[in-house]
Amino acid sequence: MRAALIRYSPLLILALAWQLISHFEFVSSSALPPLTDIGSAFIDLLKSGDLQKNAAPSLYRGGVGLLLAIGFGTIVGIAMAWWRPVNVVFGPLVEAFYPMPKSALIPVTVIWLGFGDGSKILLIFLGCMLPVIIGAYNGARSTEQVLVWSARSMGAGRLRMMWDVVIPSALPEILNGIRTALALAFILMVTSELIVAREGLGNLIGFLGANGSYAAMYAVVLTVAFMGFAADRVYQLAAQRVLGWREAALS
Amino acid sequence: MSTAVDPRSPAVRIVLAACSFVAHTASIVALLVAWELFARSGKVTMFMLPPFSAVAERIWSDAVGGKLWMDLGLTLYRTFVGFSLACMIGVVLGTAMARTKLARWFFDPIISIGFPMPKVVFLPVVILWLGVFDVSKIAMVTVEAVFPVVTATVLGIQGVGHELIWSARNMGAKDRELLWQVLLPAALPQVMTGVQVALPVALIVAIFTEMAMGGFGIGGVMMQASRFADSRGVFAGIVEIAIVGYCLVQALAFVRRRLLRWHQEAQAPSTV
């Protein structure tokens, strides 16, 4: 408890400085509303249900896009590492599209699928897929040959070997790729909703900002930022649990 | 690894290089051909998917007219100013955090909370403070791109072996010499990895801010085209951005190889 207090005290100091600066109006209160105002705006948003109503579609889009990307990306990445023809086809495509800024795809997904959920899910899927593919590819490629040979000599078929040997040994890298994808999912969700949407957290931020209710806007911005942070922490805890057998085996 | 002269004749080597080039680009060419055929098949409208030839024509006419270079220049200017600031701040801050307790105490929780946050949501706040022009775009780029550099620098400097530091101290290195001649060079591979992560991020954020705030640049022009239902313009923007992103990443990989020529990783076969 005390250790945590000392560790996080810089944040408290920042929060205090924020409160003091806006309290004594060193900067205008629309540019930096006091934290207390932001807190009460947050409670108002919760009470009116605006926050929940907009968070649901956002999380739905992010979740579906991310899950599709994880499923598809893992399969393609492992296939690339184990079958040469797949690598010849997908390798250059992955290499060419990896550095491409995915936010550039926002107008195209809108042209294809309109303003609703479909275009956001497609965008998040396309954006999150590449880090997962690269993680799975690097992980599967570095599977120890000895393990593969042992599994083969004990009579494991191809699929069986994938499932029991290749995937577990590639798991750390796959999970790492998914962590990158998780952060990207939040970024793409918010950016696409800020630019074109009728509902969702990004849209709520834009709406409140345009209306000049800055305290409420700050409340939503901080909520989304915190959600991204919390998702990452929860994911890391889960990943540690999933990889628990590995640490136990190594120590 | 081997610097020995390839025994094969030059003609054979040229053929081999050509083959590997063809194998490498075959799937991209196939994708473009499929795009062209699918767009012309009549199953989709010109609006949904203009043929690649029409998009290429559009890029060509923009390039001849000079519009392309202006937008490209603006986007790259915003990307590079933000990216350079992020690299400088990131390395200085990372070094300070790795070497002094006070800096680590103050910045560690901020970095560890800030890194996984989607910082693009602060866009409306940044607009509120800095307006909609270049300053706010560059600020957003810097804020997003600084985190990978800081964390990589901290890890890199903390990972420098004690023997190196002790030897340098033993031979009478001052703090400044220790930093410039031992710590930073030894941490360079990791710092470069962070910088390589930061560059595509900088480009993503530059394009996103242009889309959200306007003000020309490739992102701004794409958004404009999208509003006017000019899908050729949108696809032209995507192709341009894909090429620029690819070139930037390759250029940075080249810089890494040059900077780290002395390092053992240069001798090992590259994995990416």
Side-chain angles (χ1 to χ4, degrees):
Chain A
M1 182 64 207
R2 214 169 135 223
L5 204 65
I6 292 175
R7 182 165 147 68
Y8 288 105
S9 53
L11 295 174
L12 290 179
I13 295 172
L14 280 185
L16 202 66
W18 178 340
Q19 183 68 18
L20 287 177
I21 286 173
S22 52
H23 187 76
F24 293 110
E25 305 240 339
F26 289 125
V27 293
S28 86
S29 69
S30 65
L32 197 69
L35 273 178
T36 42
D37 288 9
I38 294 172
S40 60
F42 177 75
I43 291 168
D44 286 346
L45 280 171
L46 272 183
K47 269 188 193 151
S48 69
D50 278 346
L51 201 59
Q52 296 91 316
K53 215 166 56 198
N54 285 292
S58 291
L59 292 178
Y60 167 71
R61 291 160 185 165
V64 173
L66 185 62
L67 284 180
L68 285 174
I70 291 172
F72 191 78
T74 311
I75 293 171
V76 170
I78 290 178
M80 268 172 65
W82 281 85
W83 286 288
R84 249 193 102 74
V86 182
N87 193 5
V88 169
V89 173
F90 280 96
L93 290 180
V94 170
E95 201 181 313
F97 284 102
Y98 187 62
M100 176 179 164
K102 306 305 169 304
S103 44
L105 292 173
I106 294 172
V108 178
T109 57
V110 171
I111 288 178
W112 285 344
L113 296 175
F115 293 96
D117 287 344
S119 62
K120 273 93 196 166
I121 292 175
L122 177 65
L123 179 77
I124 293 168
F125 166 68
L126 288 176
C128 295
M129 192 174 62
L130 288 169
V132 180
I133 290 184
I134 290 179
Y137 173 67
N138 282 333
R141 214 176 38 165
S142 55
T143 309
E144 268 183 66
Q145 275 299 313
V146 179
L147 291 179
V148 175
W149 288 332
S150 322
R152 295 290 264 188
S153 73
M154 286 189 267
R158 263 218 139 134
L159 280 177
R160 183 76 202 277
M161 190 185 68
M162 282 290 144
W163 189 249
D164 282 350
V165 179
V166 177
I167 291 185
S169 80
L171 206 54
E173 299 231 33
I174 296 178
L175 289 176
N176 226 343
I178 294 177
R179 189 177 169 208
T180 312
L182 181 68
L184 253 175
F186 267 94
I187 293 176
L188 290 172
M189 179 187 93
V190 175
T191 51
S192 64
E193 288 174 352
L194 260 174
I195 291 181
V196 274
R198 284 173 302 211
E199 52 184 3
L201 290 172
N203 186 42
L204 184 64
I205 292 172
F207 175 76
L208 292 169
N211 269 1
S213 30
Y214 294 118
M217 182 187 85
Y218 265 94
V220 183
V221 166
L222 291 178
T223 310
V224 177
F226 181 76
M227 275 162 61
F229 167 71
D232 186 70
R233 276 296 139 93
V234 170
Y235 177 77
Q236 271 189 297
L237 284 179
Q240 266 169 20
R241 274 199 88 114
V242 170
L243 293 180
W245 58 271
R246 211 180 145 80
E247 306 302 323
L250 287 177
S251 62
Chain B
M1 192 76 181
S2 70
T3 49
V5 182
D6 196 332
R8 286 171 294 202
S9 74
V12 174
R13 262 184 289 162
I14 290 171
V15 171
L16 281 177
C19 284
S20 90
F21 179 76
V22 168
H24 219 72
T25 48
S27 60
I28 292 175
V29 172
L31 182 76
L32 294 181
V33 171
W35 173 2
E36 181 77 28
L37 292 178
F38 185 64
R40 289 195 182 282
S41 69
K43 288 201 178 62
V44 287
T45 59
M46 261 304 260
F47 174 66
M48 299 273 278
L49 190 71
F52 175 65
S53 52
V55 173
E57 204 180 7
R58 168 66 171 265
I59 295 177
W60 175 251
S61 73
D62 281 352
V64 171
K67 209 166 118 0
L68 173 63
W69 310 117
M70 191 195 82
D71 289 324
L72 200 59
L74 272 174
T75 303
L76 288 180
Y77 161 72
R78 288 159 186 159
T79 309
F80 273 117
V81 175
F83 171 69
S84 316
L85 281 173
C87 289
M88 280 187 282
I89 298 172
V91 170
V92 171
L93 194 58
T95 312
M97 279 173 66
R99 297 298 290 172
T100 65
K101 265 214 165 95
L102 186 70
R104 187 160 58 236
W105 167 75
F106 190 75
F107 287 107
D108 189 50
I110 296 173
I111 298 289
S112 72
I113 285 189
F115 198 13
M117 272 185 184
K119 287 160 291 288
V120 284
V121 290
F122 290 102
L123 178 77
V125 175
V126 174
I127 293 178
L128 207 56
W129 287 353
L130 301 174
V132 292
F133 298 108
D134 278 358
V135 181
S136 56
K137 291 181 180 118
I138 291 170
M140 284 294 289
V141 171
T142 310
V143 168
E144 266 302 338
V146 80
F147 283 89
V149 183
V150 173
T151 44
T153 309
V154 172
L155 286 178
I157 289 189
Q158 279 177 344
V160 176
H162 283 298
E163 300 81 14
L164 277 178
I165 299 177
W166 288 335
S167 319
R169 286 279 192 215
N170 210 8
M171 289 188 267
K174 306 270 188 315
D175 276 350
R176 180 181 291 260
E177 289 164 331
L178 184 72
L179 180 68
W180 283 104
Q181 293 174 19
V182 179
L183 291 176
L184 285 179
L188 194 58
Q190 288 208 288
V191 175
M192 273 310 287
T193 305
V195 168
Q196 281 176 307
V197 174
L199 182 64
V201 171
L203 193 58
I204 290 178
V205 178
I207 298 215
F208 161 68
T209 53
E210 285 170 359
M211 283 182 157
M213 302 189 226
F216 299 103
I218 294 185
V221 168
M222 276 177 75
M223 215 53 220
Q224 194 97 1
S226 158
R227 285 200 189 107
F228 289 106
D230 168 19
S231 64
R232 269 203 299 171
V234 173
F235 280 91
I238 289 188
V239 172
E240 287 156 20
I241 291 169
I243 294 171
V244 170
Y246 184 76
C247 292
L248 285 183
V249 166
Q250 292 295 327
L252 202 55
F254 176 75
V255 170
R256 180 191 184 112
R257 282 197 296 276
R258 288 304 293 254
L259 278 179
L260 294 176
R261 195 171 251 180
W262 50 273
H263 195 264
Q264 62 214 22
E265 74 164 32
Q267 264 87 53
S270 147
T271 47
V272 179

